[in-house]
Amino acid sequence: MGRLSKPMMGFMLLCCLAVLTEAEYIKYKDPKQPLGARIKDLMKRMTLEEKIGQMVQIERTVATPDVMKQYFIGSVLSGGGSVPAPKASAEAWINAVNEIQKGSLSTRLGIPMIYGIDAVHGHNNVYNATIFPHNVGLGVTRDPQLVKKIGEATALEVRATGIPYVFAPCIAVCRDPRWGRCYESYSEDPRIVQAMTEIIPGLQGELPAKSRKGIPFVAGKQKVAACAKHFVGDGGTTKGIDENNTVISLNGLLSIHMPAYYNSISKGVATVMVSYSSWNGKRMHANGDLVTGFLKNKLKFKGFVISDWQGIDRITSPPHLNYSYSVEAGVGAGIDMIMIPYNFTEFIDDLTYQVKNNIIPMSRIDDAVKRILRVKFVMGIFENPLADFSLVNQLGSKEHRELAREAVRKSLVLLKNGKSADKPLLPLPKKTAKILVAGSHADNLGNQCGGWTITWQGLGGNDLTIGTTILNAVKNTVDPTTQVVYNENPDAEFVKSNKFSFAIVVVGEPTYAEMYGDSFNLSIPEPGPSTINNVCGAVKCVVVVISGRPVVIQPYLAKLDALVAAWLPGTEGQGVADLLFGDFGFSGKLARTWFKTVDQLPMNIGDPHYDPLFPFGFGLTTKPT
């Protein structure tokens, strides 16, 4: 046989190169390919083991690079207070997240993991982050554009630490302030909660004009995937008991608790978290009619549905009583990603067994994985899986703190001003001889921020993060010649003998989160009441209440001259002094009904027995001086 001619050899070489290039070209790795084509290409390459791995979310403390690689884990989270180191810097966070991500990228298909964290009032687990007022205060502002800006700032601070996914916003409609999560709710009125879903385009970016309904959207490296929670009815449980049963008709559920989900989905929210609570006795984590039938099929939600922390364990009572049943019920109901968070091999083993034995159909697994991959592709983490240090200066930036201070000013509600209308106490004069600042919450940054701040339950004291207490804000605001005396809990004799011009008393609730905040009496704990009595009985006083909800205040109302509901204002206490001393005027209106006694609860605007101390929408105004 004769030798090949040179042109023929060249042609064959080109053919070989073409085959090699074809082999190297992987469609799912090409950002120019349509979203559907990328998902389809990657899905057909995946084994059952790799698919189930994508459905697993584990806590960062068990997420070693080896675990990520061996089990193909799809997601990692920081639980409340779970940090790489105490007071960790943005750089330390980035390094920790990237280290875990490298484990995911070393797998056969190199599917990046998605790291999630609670950022419910700013980047609340992270030292030096801007802590915004909790939602209970933001609802008072009735200012969706302000909330959108807070979303934008939060996204930048979260991305500053290398994290692309937040478990926020909470769009619960709290119907009973005895609930320990009431401060995570914008209002008892679903219309205010709907308006505040404007935080979603703040977090994720503005949805492009011709987007298909229900498709998740995240606009690049300065934005984060959001999570509307907790689906659905979490704010309507009996007696406000956390994780309890919401007893309401379908019509009531759809008209009170569901509306904000319509808005969230139309704004392209990437994920939805299921509630621990039940609806008419059926656990939401096992409610296929609502999770699959309503959310996915009727509302056309195309992002992924995530469980709450150990949420499927709690389908049974006690939790984890029959785990294989819980896996079947939760995944079968339509939950796509399971926040496990620790014992992940048990979940993987159980789900694998159930798929191989046709207990859970393969189509259900494929639906879950398609949704998870859709969010990951849309976020751009296949192209940019590792974070860099380009945004670290955004954490706790001056601009974000100014925004938080503005939010504080707009979220305060003036409930009383003067013993009579013609003699208002506020605004206070900056220049006077001597003023008293008193109360357990006057010089306590932790109490001012509330739960979900640095740790899950929050921390009292001033060592948790960077911020301005109300006491320091007062000192910053008054004239240099004005003497500010601070006494946390003075007796009446001390107040009488010191000839104060007036007093500012700051009292309220301790920090709490979730079920630890459930309260049947809603009283301000001691020494709060004693401080009010001792001070306001002896000198003109304004009482500032720091709380996650309305609390019992009627017994003290006649004694005090002015009353301000400051909710949980966060790190920027200067916003409180801005209003007390008249640099800005009060404008906030109650987004919750303020009851007279707890016996009236639940009591919401529109109820036949409506007889509040301060009605929904109430709020006195002042003009800046």
Side-chain angles (χ1 to χ4, degrees):
M1 199 168 124
R3 287 190 304 181
L4 288 169
S5 68
K6 279 185 180 172
M8 191 64 180
M9 278 183 74
F11 176 71
M12 289 187 74
L13 194 63
L14 276 172
C15 288
C16 288
L17 278 170
V19 168
L20 282 169
T21 311
E22 184 64 31
E24 280 168 15
Y25 175 72
I26 298 171
K27 196 181 267 187
Y28 77 84
K29 290 190 174 176
D30 181 358
K32 294 191 182 75
Q33 286 289 331
L35 179 60
R38 295 182 80 182
I39 294 169
K40 195 173 176 185
D41 181 63
L42 181 48
M43 289 286 292
K44 73 170 192 247
R45 298 168 188 270
M46 293 173 77
T47 64
L48 176 63
E49 197 183 2
E50 286 165 330
K51 286 176 178 176
I52 286 175
Q54 283 302 302
M55 297 172 67
V56 173
Q57 186 181 64
I58 62 175
E59 218 286 324
R60 57 162 280 281
T61 47
V62 294
T64 64
D66 285 346
V67 162
M68 302 305 288
K69 186 175 180 180
Q70 186 181 343
Y71 295 98
F72 312 104
I73 301 297
S75 184
V76 175
L77 84 150
S78 273
S82 177
V83 297
K87 300 187 178 178
S89 65
E91 291 86 350
W93 275 96
I94 289 169
N95 290 333
V97 174
N98 281 350
E99 183 69 15
I100 297 168
Q101 186 67 283
K102 284 170 188 167
S104 296
L105 298 178
S106 69
T107 54
R108 181 178 77 92
L109 296 169
I111 304 172
M113 65 88 191
I114 177 176
Y115 196 107
I117 196 162
D118 284 283
V120 296
H121 60 144
H123 196 6
N124 53 257
N125 279 286
V126 176
Y127 183 77
N128 193 32
T130 309
I131 304 297
F132 292 91
H134 264 299
N135 289 357
V136 65
L138 296 181
V140 161
T141 71
R142 289 166 172 72
D143 187 344
Q145 290 311 305
L146 173 71
V147 170
K148 184 179 182 180
K149 284 184 197 159
I150 289 171
E152 289 166 358
T154 301
L156 284 169
E157 297 209 10
V158 173
R159 281 287 194 169
T161 57
I163 296 171
Y165 176 32
V166 297
F167 308 124
C170 177
I171 53 171
V173 182
C174 173
R175 303 289 284 176
D176 192 326
R178 291 173 292 187
W179 186 37
R181 302 192 84 147
C182 203
Y183 63 72
E184 295 183 57
S185 167
Y186 293 107
S187 179
E188 70 192 41
D189 182 347
R191 288 168 303 185
I192 290 179
V193 181
Q194 283 183 281
M196 293 304 166
T197 59
E198 199 55 22
I199 195 170
I200 292 169
L203 291 164
Q204 296 191 157
E206 204 67 61
L207 198 62
K210 289 176 184 166
S211 297
R212 270 180 46 224
K213 189 186 173 202
I215 298 285
F217 177 73
V218 183
K221 291 197 286 186
Q222 299 195 349
K223 297 294 179 184
V224 293
C227 178
K229 65 184 191 182
H230 307 85
F231 187 82
V232 61
D234 49 344
T237 58
T238 303
K239 296 182 180 174
I241 296 167
D242 193 34
E243 304 181 18
N244 200 15
N245 190 22
T246 298
V247 180
I248 195 170
S249 67
L250 177 62
N251 187 37
L253 189 79
L254 297 183
S255 62
I256 294 172
H257 299 286
M258 195 69 81
Y261 287 94
Y262 309 150
N263 300 68
S264 301
I265 291 163
S266 70
K267 288 172 184 180
V269 76
T271 72
V272 169
M273 186 183 290
V274 183
S275 177
Y276 287 131
S277 58
S278 304
W279 175 49
N280 294 339
K282 187 172 180 71
R283 287 270 177 208
M284 278 307 309
H285 274 76
N287 196 321
D289 292 339
L290 285 173
V291 174
T292 297
F294 197 83
L295 178 65
K296 290 183 172 181
N297 297 346
K298 186 156 188 181
L299 299 186
K300 305 275 189 281
F301 173 64
K302 295 285 189 284
F304 68 78
V305 176
I306 186 167
S307 82
D308 207 334
W309 178 278
Q310 293 177 337
I312 64 165
D313 302 52
R314 302 195 207 182
I315 288 171
T316 59
S317 186
H320 205 270
L321 181 68
N322 181 345
Y323 193 65
S324 61
Y325 163 75
S326 292
V327 171
E328 183 188 344
V331 175
I335 300 173
D336 304 311
M337 186 179 278
I338 310 298
M339 191 186 291
I340 288 171
Y342 300 113
N343 194 3
F344 55 91
T345 55
E346 180 187 24
F347 172 79
I348 291 169
D349 292 346
D350 276 8
L351 186 54
T352 305
Y353 173 86
Q354 290 179 21
V355 175
K356 285 181 173 172
N357 288 276
N358 299 319
I359 297 164
I360 286 181
M362 195 64 210
S363 58
R364 174 71 276 271
I365 304 302
D366 285 344
D367 171 58
V369 178
K370 272 179 199 159
R371 289 165 175 277
I372 292 162
L373 294 178
R374 183 178 292 127
V375 170
K376 289 185 176 185
F377 280 125
V378 160
M379 292 172 70
I381 60 166
F382 276 84
E383 288 70 59
N384 295 294
L386 296 171
D388 58 39
F389 296 142
S390 60
L391 293 173
V392 293
N393 64 339
Q394 295 289 338
L395 191 70
S397 74
K398 188 170 185 296
E399 193 183 1
H400 297 164
R401 290 185 184 278
E402 280 302 318
L403 177 64
R405 182 173 170 181
E406 178 192 349
V408 174
R409 291 196 294 262
K410 290 180 174 176
S411 65
L412 268 50
V413 183
L414 181 57
L415 297 172
K416 180 178 178 178
N417 191 14
K419 292 268 170 72
S420 61
D422 56 341
K423 288 187 180 165
L425 180 64
L426 302 180
L428 301 166
K430 291 180 183 177
K431 189 167 186 175
T432 187
K434 187 162 61 165
I435 63 176
L436 171 66
V437 178
S440 51
H441 289 51
D443 190 32
N444 195 311
L445 192 62
N447 285 352
Q448 199 173 294
C449 290
W452 288 113
T453 310
I454 305 301
T455 68
W456 175 38
Q457 292 294 320
L459 287 167
N462 290 333
D463 189 40
L464 74 165
T465 193
I466 307 292
T468 305
T469 67
I470 293 168
L471 171 66
N472 284 332
V474 170
K475 289 177 176 175
N476 295 341
T477 305
V478 295
D479 188 86
T481 61
T482 300
Q483 187 186 351
V484 178
V485 176
Y486 170 60
N487 187 326
E488 188 176 327
N489 187 22
D491 58 37
E493 194 43 52
F494 173 85
V495 183
K496 281 176 188 147
S497 61
N498 263 285
K499 296 191 170 62
F500 294 109
S501 310
F502 56 83
I504 299 168
V505 178
V506 192
V507 295
E509 295 188 296
T511 67
Y512 57 80
E514 297 188 46
M515 70 291 291
Y516 293 101
D518 288 356
S519 168
F520 286 123
N521 59 34
L522 293 179
S523 55
I524 298 170
E526 284 291 354
S530 304
T531 310
I532 293 172
N533 287 327
N534 291 346
V535 176
C536 299
V539 67
K540 276 187 186 168
C541 77
V542 51
V543 171
V544 179
V545 178
I546 305 289
S547 67
R549 52 204 165 185
V551 288
V552 174
I553 201 76
Q554 193 182 28
Y556 325 111
L557 198 53
K559 189 164 278 183
L560 46 92
D561 297 87
L563 176 64
V564 175
W567 316 108
L568 297 167
T571 49
E572 306 313 301
Q574 195 64 48
V576 177
D578 285 344
L579 294 191
L580 293 180
F581 291 94
D583 287 331
F584 293 82
F586 280 88
S587 60
K589 305 288 182 196
L590 288 178
R592 302 207 56 79
T593 297
W594 203 295
F595 58 86
K596 289 175 180 169
T597 71
V598 288
D599 304 337
Q600 296 175 297
L601 299 175
M603 176 175 62
N604 295 282
I605 180 76
D607 287 352
H609 65 288
Y610 199 68
D611 180 29
L613 183 62
F614 300 108
F616 176 92
F618 180 81
L620 303 172
T621 56
T622 59
K623 288 195 164 50
T625 51

